[in-house]
Structures are given as C-alpha cells and as structure tokens.
Amino acid sequence: MTPKIKPYTGAAAGWGAVRAVVNSIRHEMNVQHGLIALFHMNKVDGFDCPGCAWPDPKHTSSFDVCENGAKAVSWEATEKRADAEFFKTHTVDELLGWEPRLLEQSGRLTTPLKYDPSADKYLPIEWEMAFAEIAQKLQSFDDPNVVEFYTSGRASNEAAFLYQLFARVYGTNNFPDCSNMCHEPTSIGLMESIGVGKGTVKLEDFEHCDLVICIGHNPGTNHPRMLTSLREVALRGAKIIAINPMQEVGLTNFISPQNPYEMLTDKGTPLVNDYYHVRVGGDIALMKGVMRCLIELHEKTLSQGREGILDIEFVQNHTNGYRELRTDVLNTDWQHIVESCGLSEEDIQRLAASYASSQSTIICYGMGITQHEHGTRNVQQLVNLLLLKGNIGKKGAGICPLRGHSNVQGDRTVGITEKPSSELLHNLNKRFGFIPPSQFGHSAIESMKAICNGKSKALICLGGNFAAAMPDYAVTYPKLKELELTVHLATKLNTSHLLVSKNSYVFPVLGRTEKDLQKGTYQFVSVEDSMSVVHSSCGVLTPASEDLKSECEIIAGIAKATLGQEKVNWDELKSNYDKIRDHIEEVFPDFSNYNERVRKPGGFTLTNSAAERRWSTASGRANFVVASNLLEDPMIANKKGIVLATVRSHDQYNTTIYGMDDRYRGVYGQRDVLFLSKETARSMSINEGERVNIIALESDGTRSDRRMNKLKVVIYKMADKTAATYFPESNHMLTLDHFDEKSGIPAYKSIPVEIEIFD
Ligand SMILES: Nc1nc2c(c(=O)[nH]1)N[C@H]1C(S)=C(S)[C@@H](COP(=O)(O)OP(=O)(O)OC[C@H]3O[C@@H](n4cnc5c(=O)[nH]c(N)nc54)[C@H](O)[C@@H]3O)O[C@H]1N2
Ligand SMILES: Nc1nc2c(c(=O)[nH]1)N[C@H]1C(S)=C(S)[C@@H](COP(=O)(O)OP(=O)(O)OC[C@H]3O[C@@H](n4cnc5c(=O)[nH]c(N)nc54)[C@H](O)[C@@H]3O)O[C@H]1N2
Ligand SMILES: [Mo]
C-alpha cells in the first residue's frame, strides 16, 4: 500500500479488527486451518494463545479471539515454507541483505540446518549428527561459563525446566532471558517492595475495583483481550485513568466484537475517564507529585479532626519506611516535578484526588514503566502509591504488571534465572544428585557484553531473536559472528540465525498450535499467565513438516549427547512430559500435584504471599522505597534533548513485523516514522510529513554517531519534549551501557536525542 498518514477516528477492535483478522488469515494460511486454530485457541482442550499473557476467564467462549491473537496464530500456522530448497537457493549473505520481515515471511522452517561456510549456505543435517557435533563442541570448552543459554518467553514450562536442567548439569547459570529486556524491574522491584516478583491481582479483582490506573502500556495492541475486562470495569461505572505520553486508541474506546449492538451501531464503550500525557521518563516525578498531594491532603483532613485518606492502620501494621518516604516527597519541589513530568500542578492534584476517593485501586503497567534507566524505581513508586492506601492484598486492588511473552512469567518460575536461590540449588541437588553451580551467571546485557569482549564462546537460543531485540546492533552483530558455536531453536528464520559463527545450527521446532506426538502419545505443555494461573496448552494442527521436533525433544537430544544419561534420563523425559512435570513438582513445591491439577479445566493458581498480606521481604513488611534525589534519568535531565521511546506498532510482534500499518495511530504502509507532538514540532518549525534525522546523545549531552536518517514526522497527540519510533529498527540508537543498574533492563524508552531537518 502507498504510505499514508490518516488519523484513526474509530474505536479499538470492531469491524476494523475483523477485517484485519480476515486479511491475515487469507494471506498467511488456508482458511480451514485458520478456523480450526481459532476455534481451539484459549480453550482448555486447545492451545494457549501465543499472543499475550492476559488470562482468560475459566469458561471462555471459543470465539473470544482478538485481532492480534489471530495474527500470532496465522503467523505460526502459515502454509509457506522456508524449506531445504529455499536454503539451497539463497546464500546467508544474500539473506542478510533482505528486509528482516521478509525472512520470517518466507515461512516455517522445516528441516534441521547447519551452516556450510564454503557455500555460505545453511544446508540440511541429520538431527542425531547435529546433536553429536554440538555435544563435541560443548565438551571441548574448559569452562562451562563460556556458554550462554538464552530463553525467549514463548517456551513452555516443560521446555524451560528441561533447558535450565541441561545448562546447570553442564555447569553454568548463564541465563540471558527476554525477561531481562521486559519485566526484570518487576521481578526485582516488586520482590524488594512486597516480597514477590509478580503481580498480586486476579482477574476477579477487576470485578470489584472502583479505579484502574493504566500506566505505560498499550492494551489495544499488545494485550487486546484486556479490553474486555476494561470494558466491564467501565460499564460498571468504575473509573479508568490512563497515564501515557501517547494517546492510544485502545485505552479510549472499544467496540466489543462479541457485542452485536456495538458491532451493528459501530459505537464503542468509552474506557478512560481521564488521560494524562506524561512526558517520557516523567513517571517518577509524577508519582512523587501524586504522593505529595495525598500526604498533604491526609494531614490536612486529620488536622481538621476528620478521618485521613491514607490507610494508616495498614501503613502501621504492614509497612516499613513511611517516614522516609514522607520526608522525601514533601521536600520535592513542585517546579521540579512539573518540569520533569510535563503535567501541571492542577493536573497532578486532580489525579491525586481521583486516587484519594477510590476504595480499591488496581494499577496496571507495562514497558512504559520498566524500560528506563530507573525502571525498577519506577515500578516501586507505583507500589508506594498502592501501599499508602492499603491497596495490596485487598479485594479489587493490587499491582498488575502486564507480562510480555505468553509464558515469560512461567519460564522464570521454573528456574530460568541467572541468580538461583539457595532453595532452588538445594532442591535440584536433592532431586537429581548433582551439585548445581552456585556462582551467578549472565543476564541479557551481561551475556551480550561477554560475547562482545570475547569471553563467551557459544550462544544457544531457545526461541527469540536475541541479536535484533538487544541494543546496539552496530556493535553486537560483528561480535556475534566471532563465536565458536551458535544454536537456534526456532519456528521461522530471523536475523539472529544469519549472524553465523564458526559452527551454526538452526533447528525447526513444533509451534504451540501443532500436535506433539511422542512415542504414540499426544503431549501437552503448560504455561503461566500474567496472573499466576498455570494451565495446559495442547496443539491441534498438523505440524508444518514431518521433520520438526518439539523443544523438549531437541533440548533432551543435545543434553543426552553432551552429558549422557547418568544424572538425568533425558530419553524418558522427552517421551513423556508428565515425567518432566513430576520433576518440576519436586523442585518447586508450589506445583504440588502438578499433573493432576494442570489437567483440571482452567488449571491452578500459584500462591502469592503478598496477595495474602504475608511479606517475604528482609524486613518482614512491605517496604516503601524512596527514589531520593531522583526525578528523571540523568540522561533525560539534559534539557537540550528530546526523549525517544521505542514502541511497538499494531502490526508487529516484537521483532516479527506482520505488516506495515499501525492502524490505531493512523500510520499506513510505512515504519520509518517519528511521532512528535504538535507543540514540539512547531517549536522546531517541523511540519507533518517532513523528513528528519535523529541523533542519540551521550550522557554528557554531546552527539554520538548513532543516528537514524530521514524519518517521516507524524504529528500525534502526545506529551511534548517526547518522541517515539518503532523498534527493532531503532535498536542501534541505544548503547549496551545504558540500562537500569538495579535490574539490567536496557533503557529502550529513555533515549535522549536531537532532531535535525533532513535535507
Ligand atoms: N500484538 C503484540 N502483542 C504483544 C507484543 C507485540 O509486540 N505485539 N509484545 C509482547 C511483549 S514481549 C510485551 S513486553 C508486551 C509489551 O506491551 P506494552 O508494554 O504495551 O509495550 P510498548 O508498545 O513497548 O509500550 C507501551 C506504551 O508505553 C508508553 N510509554 C513510552 N514511554 C513511556 C513513559 O516514559 N512513561 C509512560 N507512562 N508510558 C510510556 C508508550 O506510549 C506505549 O503506549 O506486549 C506483549 N504483547
Ligand atoms: N528498542 C526496543 N527493543 C526491545 C523492546 C522495546 O520495547 N524496544 N522490547 C523488548 C522486549 S519486552 C522483549 S520481550 C524482547 C523480545 O525478544 P525475543 O523474545 O528474543 O524476540 P521475538 O521477536 O519475540 O522472537 C521472534 C522469534 O521467535 C521465534 N519463535 C516464535 N515462536 C516460537 C516458538 O514457539 N518456539 C521457538 N523456539 N521459537 C519461536 C521465531 O523464530 C521468531 O523469529 O525485545 C526487547 N527489545
Ligand atoms: Mo517483552
């Protein structure tokens, strides 16, 4: 389609979404497959939607399918094939010259491949031969810590558990993980604040809250099924507030595809009552402003002899650090707050008043909060706000991080962590009789740095597109090619596979939609959603090729070839996933009766101590965490610059680009755009449609050589001094050194830039 910019005037979902679903099915897969897949999605006897981690009500209708879930399924269930013939035709060098999205569009991988340097091609290899070669290479390293075991969050609990077992028996805790780029500030921040690294709300809480604050996430695109819950909240008359630099359609108006009246009249349900366009990186300042208002209001009402607005009983009995928090926020001056977040004092008072009058509040958040230089502190300010009014461990209230990949939370639960607890090490030892490594391993940034400085020699990737998802590809791509060994388990070809090292293998895996037959028995796997519900997922489609293997089978194959069967009977595990679940249950006691409970419709919920007001923190209480002297990223404080956030379009899944439109933001047929507010563009005399260059700034405010040229300006309703563009095209704008020290998450949404007109 010819590129155009045409502001979107409708509501989210509705007929536009139905049209998009039909289009993606027509272009990507044959209709019969599509229908079968969609009917089965999210049903107990079907597979879990690979789209997002939002939970499903227990008795979901089989029509509860959203546009982007349908796209994720069509993408996997395509009839196109990148088969042996494809790889015979194209050299790696040629494929590297393709637009990355065309690599995935060539279809599903069908056969195990090994890179042949003399032909510069990936050529078919027998599975067992590949396992033996990889094993030999892994055995040749003196130190197991030169191998990096990356996990992307689509892997099932069973595959992830087997993978960490393999790596730990091999001898390392190097577990870079997509969660390190996503919700690590949640794992670290919530753990420090409330003693669990996960959200505390359940789906039912949305039926009882009177206020939902949506901060830094875009549900219309990234968690579309959440709109159904928000719609019910709005219809009940409860309040929804959005805090986001960009006006997102999915937060404002929603036409439920399940509601004939809304579909026929093309009239949606308005969702938010109030929208605050905070500046990118301004959330800590805003939260401090809100807390200042609350504490002042509380003390004023008390002095008038009335009941205060804070839950003082909760603060006294359950928390730690209120005095310090109070002193810090009361000493933060308004001018500084207002300058940092870009909202007026009146706006902040209004937001605080809404919160003050709520009896039970849920705060939902996403990457707009976590992907900052102070991502962990950001998360903790949201918790502070909730703690002030006792909004944790109460019906209709709590913290609700919107997880990314559909099983990223589960992968962490079953042991994908570079910092294993002593309990995990003890339980592994008890169950399997080996001494697992206790030395902490690498997270994503640490492993990429180890690869760049030559310390790491091998990279094994359980899914994902590690290279493209990480910052600074100008630096990392050449270094990845210097590795001794790279192994990728994948459904489709992507850039990471083409950064070939001395020995490179790509293994085609069964997707979640496909039947997994092992020794004559169909296997299912299990996943954990954003609200800690563990449930089964069972493929229903015929596999894309007879030569595919399941992730569990491949991991077990490499593990057996490398380590033998002495400590773990890999053969037994790969042919019966119940046996893997038996091990999980022994190592993680929360999974007791796993095999029985996971077979129940709807699965089971893991315990969450904070939701029961038991605080597993060092102090034994929930902690207020003060972000003292901290209103914004130091890099942002450099006022010369504009702060760039890198975000997802409506037609993409992380590094997978389905199409060139971003319908809700009015952008069609293009991705090389820069979103700016009218005021910001005017202050620089830039008009809509004009082309600009953006240049990343160093921490001292000087220009770096990281830049993007010729981006088309889209004037958008958003905060000033803020810009946005799409990832992964923009990932070289960030260095490997710009991350949150507490969690290691790259500051994907706090990149200071300068803008110049392209001529
Ligand atoms: N269809 C689809 N679904 C997905 C994904 C996908 O790519 N496509 N990805 C999955 C994954 S892995 C993840 S992690 C999630 C991501 O889901 P989201 O968290 O929604 O992801 P983003 O698009 O990165 O950004 C979210 C929002 O953050 C806002 N924002 C940017 N900077 C700031 C800031 O400083 N403060 C505040 N308050 N807001 C800010 C942006 O305006 C944007 O609306 O979605 C998951 N689901
Ligand atoms: N600038 C910027 N960068 C970001 C972000 C951002 O907001 N801004 N977001 C970050 C976030 S939140 C995340 S989670 C990461 C995502 O990082 P990753 O999870 O590494 O990347 P994806 O793009 O989700 O991975 C896509 C690939 O996964 C493979 N795949 C798909 N399904 C399966 C499966 O079932 N099994 C296997 N084995 N492989 C499969 C396919 O081959 C596909 O090409 O990116 C991060 N990078
Ligand atoms: Mo993510």
Side-chain angles (χ1 to χ4, degrees), residues 700-747:
D700 61 2
T702 56
R703 288 172 155 222
S704 72
D705 52 9
R706 299 184 303 280
R707 59 191 296 136
M708 293 176 88
N709 290 340
K710 228 181 146 184
L711 294 178
K712 190 194 274 180
V713 169
V714 178
I715 304 289
Y716 197 74
K717 190 165 177 187
M718 62 194 286
D720 65 357
K721 296 195 173 177
T722 287
T725 190
Y726 302 126
F727 97 97
E729 293 88 335
S730 53
N731 278 25
H732 63 297
M733 295 294 281
L734 188 67
T735 71
L736 280 178
D737 289 320
H738 191 190
F739 56 86
D740 171 26
E741 287 211 342
K742 290 194 112 351
S743 65
I745 193 164

Side-chain angles (χ1 to χ4, degrees), residues 75-76 104 150 152-154 178 181-182 367 371 405 462-466 469-470 489-494 497 509-512 551 646-648 653-656 727 730-731 748-749:
W75 176 91
E76 183 172 297
E104 294 206 7
Y150 176 70
S152 169
R154 216 175 256 189
C178 75
M181 304 176 231
C182 187
M367 298 298 98
Q371 292 176 331
H405 268 298
L462 178 53
N465 190 357
F466 184 51
M470 286 289 283
L489 280 66
T491 49
K492 287 199 179 175
L493 181 66
N494 66 42
H497 312 154
V509 303
L510 287 171
R512 204 180 268 180
E551 293 174 340
T646 57
V647 297
R648 293 154 167 79
Y653 197 94
N654 298 339
T655 66
T656 296
F727 97 97
S730 53
N731 278 25
Y748 292 124
K749 291 189 176 34

Side-chain angles (χ1 to χ4, degrees), residues 590-612:
D590 226 15
F591 285 83
S592 58
N593 294 327
Y594 194 178
N595 274 311
E596 187 191 319
R597 286 196 294 162
V598 79
R599 284 178 161 84
K600 292 201 173 127
F604 61 96
T605 308
L606 295 171
T607 53
N608 184 309
S609 51
E612 296 163 10

Side-chain angles (χ1 to χ4, degrees), residues 182 218 221-222 244-245 248 281 283 367 372 648 652 654 749:
C182 187
N218 180 16
T221 290
N222 297 319
N244 193 313
E248 305 287 21
D283 301 278
M367 298 298 98
H372 288 281
R648 293 154 167 79
Q652 85 181 74
N654 298 339
K749 291 189 176 34

Side-chain angles (χ1 to χ4, degrees), residues 279-589:
R279 272 189 198 140
V280 167
D283 301 278
I284 291 186
L286 175 59
M287 288 307 123
K288 279 194 172 183
V290 173
M291 287 191 278
R292 180 167 173 173
C293 296
L294 280 178
I295 292 173
E296 284 175 350
L297 198 63
H298 174 74
E299 294 183 357
K300 190 164 141 205
T301 47
L302 280 187
S303 71
Q304 292 166 342
R306 291 184 289 143
E307 204 184 326
I309 53 157
L310 303 186
D311 186 343
I312 282 304
E313 205 182 297
F314 176 84
V315 171
Q316 277 171 355
N317 294 332
H318 289 279
T319 70
N320 207 10
Y322 174 69
R323 287 282 118 207
E324 292 80 352
L325 180 86
R326 178 184 177 280
T327 309
D328 181 68
V329 298
L330 294 184
N331 285 327
T332 312
D333 74 69
W334 273 113
Q335 198 194 340
H336 203 171
I337 290 176
V338 167
E339 268 173 18
S340 304
C341 70
L343 295 167
S344 66
E345 191 177 329
E346 295 71 54
D347 280 341
I348 300 174
Q349 296 277 8
R350 188 159 45 94
L351 175 53
S354 299
Y355 180 55
S357 62
S358 155
Q359 298 307 309
S360 41
T361 304
I362 293 175
I363 300 187
C364 306
Y365 67 94
M367 298 298 98
I369 287 297
T370 59
Q371 292 176 331
H372 288 281
E373 194 178 330
H374 296 297
T376 306
R377 286 287 183 255
N378 254 346
V379 170
Q380 292 175 323
Q381 301 320 298
L382 303 181
V383 178
N384 287 348
L385 198 60
L386 289 170
L387 292 177
L388 285 175
K389 282 178 59 66
N391 274 318
I392 298 227
K394 178 165 95 180
K395 192 165 154 184
I399 188 93
C400 178
L402 289 150
R403 291 281 172 167
H405 268 298
S406 48
N407 196 39
V408 58
Q409 185 160 318
D411 293 347
R412 298 296 256 176
T413 304
V414 299
I416 301 294
T417 167
E418 72 281 5
K419 297 190 184 80
S421 65
S422 45
E423 190 190 358
L424 170 56
L425 297 175
H426 172 82
N427 291 353
L428 282 172
N429 172 255
K430 203 166 122 201
R431 180 71 179 175
F432 298 100
F434 73 103
I435 298 177
S438 55
Q439 181 192 334
F440 288 173
H442 293 154
S443 64
I445 284 273
E446 288 161 344
S447 61
M448 195 56 107
K449 286 192 167 194
I451 289 168
C452 287
N453 65 27
K455 283 202 177 125
S456 286
K457 307 264 181 260
L459 172 65
I460 301 181
C461 291
L462 178 53
N465 190 357
F466 184 51
M470 286 289 283
D472 219 355
Y473 53 72
V475 169
T476 61
Y477 282 12
K479 294 292 182 186
L480 282 155
K481 292 184 183 172
E482 290 173 17
L483 289 168
E484 293 283 326
L485 172 70
T486 46
V487 181
H488 292 278
L489 280 66
T491 49
K492 287 199 179 175
L493 181 66
N494 66 42
T495 307
S496 296
H497 312 154
L498 298 174
L499 302 169
V500 284
S501 65
K502 298 198 177 89
N503 298 277
S504 290
Y505 302 82
V506 173
F507 293 145
V509 303
L510 287 171
R512 204 180 268 180
T513 55
E514 290 164 326
K515 290 177 190 155
D516 181 354
L517 187 64
Q518 303 289 345
K519 283 212 170 152
T521 309
Y522 285 109
Q523 304 292 317
F524 69 88
V525 292
S526 45
V527 293
E528 177 183 340
D529 67 29
S530 247
M531 294 178 188
S532 307
V533 179
V534 179
H535 57 95
S536 64
S537 174
C538 188
V540 294
L541 300 182
T542 306
S545 140
E546 282 180 1
D547 213 8
L548 302 188
K549 284 194 190 295
S550 76
E551 293 174 340
C552 291
E553 200 179 347
I554 300 170
I555 296 161
I558 305 175
K560 180 184 164 190
T562 311
L563 307 163
Q565 301 253 77
E566 192 191 323
K567 295 195 177 91
V568 180
N569 186 338
W570 305 102
D571 278 343
E572 181 186 69
L573 298 183
K574 76 175 186 200
S575 49
N576 181 354
Y577 301 171
D578 276 354
K579 304 265 181 197
I580 306 179
R581 287 184 283 268
D582 285 343
H583 284 312
I584 295 178
E585 173 177 339
E586 285 303 312
V587 176
F588 301 97

Side-chain angles (χ1 to χ4, degrees), residues 1-53:
M1 137 182 318
T2 27
K4 68 173 183 199
I5 297 167
K6 186 168 178 262
Y8 185 81
T9 49
W15 292 111
V18 172
R19 267 194 301 276
V21 167
V22 171
N23 273 341
S24 61
I25 291 171
R26 200 175 284 153
H27 289 137
E28 281 291 298
M29 60 202 282
N30 101 13
V31 172
Q32 197 198 2
H33 265 189
L35 278 183
I36 298 170
L38 297 181
F39 276 126
H40 280 271
M41 187 153 60
N42 293 324
K43 286 181 68 186
V44 180
D45 55 349
F47 55 86
D48 181 63
C49 178
C52 74

Side-chain angles (χ1 to χ4, degrees), residues 149-361:
F149 290 85
Y150 176 70
T151 314
S152 169
R154 216 175 256 189
S156 62
N157 282 359
E158 291 74 4
F161 180 82
L162 218 54
Y163 192 57
Q164 65 80 39
L165 186 61
F166 167 38
R168 291 195 163 107
V169 177
Y170 179 67
T172 185
N173 284 312
N174 284 346
F175 290 111
D177 171 24
C178 75
S179 160
N180 299 141
M181 304 176 231
C182 187
H183 267 293
E184 194 67 18
T186 296
S187 307
I188 304 281
L190 293 187
M191 185 57 91
E192 193 184 353
S193 291
I194 56 173
V196 285
K198 303 179 183 184
T200 64
V201 301
K202 296 206 178 79
L203 206 48
E204 301 88 85
D205 286 313
F206 283 82
E207 292 163 22
H208 302 287
C209 60
D210 61 23
L211 172 66
V212 177
I213 299 179
C214 291
I215 180 164
H217 69 101
N218 180 16
T221 290
N222 297 319
H223 309 92
R225 286 178 295 114
M226 182 191 189
L227 298 191
T228 307
S229 304
L230 289 180
R231 176 175 176 271
E232 280 159 18
V233 169
L235 289 175
R236 261 195 313 112
K239 213 170 173 175
I240 303 174
I241 290 176
I243 304 174
N244 193 313
M246 303 182 80
Q247 184 79 12
E248 305 287 21
V249 172
L251 285 164
T252 50
N253 205 334
F254 171 53
I255 294 181
S256 166
Q258 274 83 40
N259 186 294
Y261 174 77
E262 291 185 358
M263 289 297 278
L264 289 173
T265 57
D266 216 17
K267 280 206 182 84
T269 305
L271 297 180
V272 293
N273 302 73
D274 245 333
Y275 209 116
Y276 296 89
H277 296 100
V278 65
R279 272 189 198 140
V280 167
D283 301 278
I284 291 186
L286 175 59
M287 288 307 123
K288 279 194 172 183
V290 173
M291 287 191 278
R292 180 167 173 173
C293 296
L294 280 178
I295 292 173
E296 284 175 350
L297 198 63
H298 174 74
E299 294 183 357
K300 190 164 141 205
T301 47
L302 280 187
S303 71
Q304 292 166 342
R306 291 184 289 143
E307 204 184 326
I309 53 157
L310 303 186
D311 186 343
I312 282 304
E313 205 182 297
F314 176 84
V315 171
Q316 277 171 355
N317 294 332
H318 289 279
T319 70
N320 207 10
Y322 174 69
R323 287 282 118 207
E324 292 80 352
L325 180 86
R326 178 184 177 280
T327 309
D328 181 68
V329 298
L330 294 184
N331 285 327
T332 312
D333 74 69
W334 273 113
Q335 198 194 340
H336 203 171
I337 290 176
V338 167
E339 268 173 18
S340 304
C341 70
L343 295 167
S344 66
E345 191 177 329
E346 295 71 54
D347 280 341
I348 300 174
Q349 296 277 8
R350 188 159 45 94
L351 175 53
S354 299
Y355 180 55
S357 62
S358 155
Q359 298 307 309
S360 41
T361 304

